[in-house]
Amino acid sequence: MTQSLFDQVADELVKAFQVDREDITPDSTLEELGLDSLALMELTVRFEDQTGLELPDTEDARLGTRSTLADITAVLGTVLPSGASGSPIFPHQTQPEGTS
């Protein structure tokens, strides 16, 4: 089973920003999770560094601390190749052996 892009973003928020996983829902905003615009920038830079892809400035500009995680995930998903949203993106996330 592959991990959804939303779950990968949620896991990254837990690991990199120490957000409680129970607090993370698609409707959560970064602001509600106690994160600021610097954390959003760091999250998008981590995404870009790990995928080698770059968010277009128009997409990046749409995001803010009041964007929901569903919005953020949707924007990140716009630059992924078709079918890649289940592949691990962040460096410490690996899929269990025998899954694809």
Side-chain angles (χ1 to χ4, degrees), residues 34-89:
L35 301 174
D36 60 13
S37 58
L38 186 59
L40 174 60
M41 185 174 14
E42 186 175 339
L43 181 66
T44 57
V45 167
R46 286 171 176 263
F47 173 84
E48 290 175 340
D49 287 349
Q50 295 309 312
T51 61
L53 302 169
E54 190 172 325
L55 289 175
D57 290 338
T58 55
E59 293 297 327
D60 200 24
R62 286 187 359 185
L63 298 177
T65 57
R66 292 188 177 169
S67 298
T68 66
L69 293 182
D71 294 336
I72 293 168
T73 302
V75 168
L76 296 178
T78 63
V79 297
L80 288 175
S82 179
S85 63
S87 301
I89 293 170

Side-chain angles (χ1 to χ4, degrees), residues 21-34:
R21 181 63 174 99
E22 306 82 50
D23 295 338
I24 300 172
T25 68
D27 294 328
S28 301
T29 65
L30 291 181
E31 188 174 74
E32 292 169 345
L33 297 173

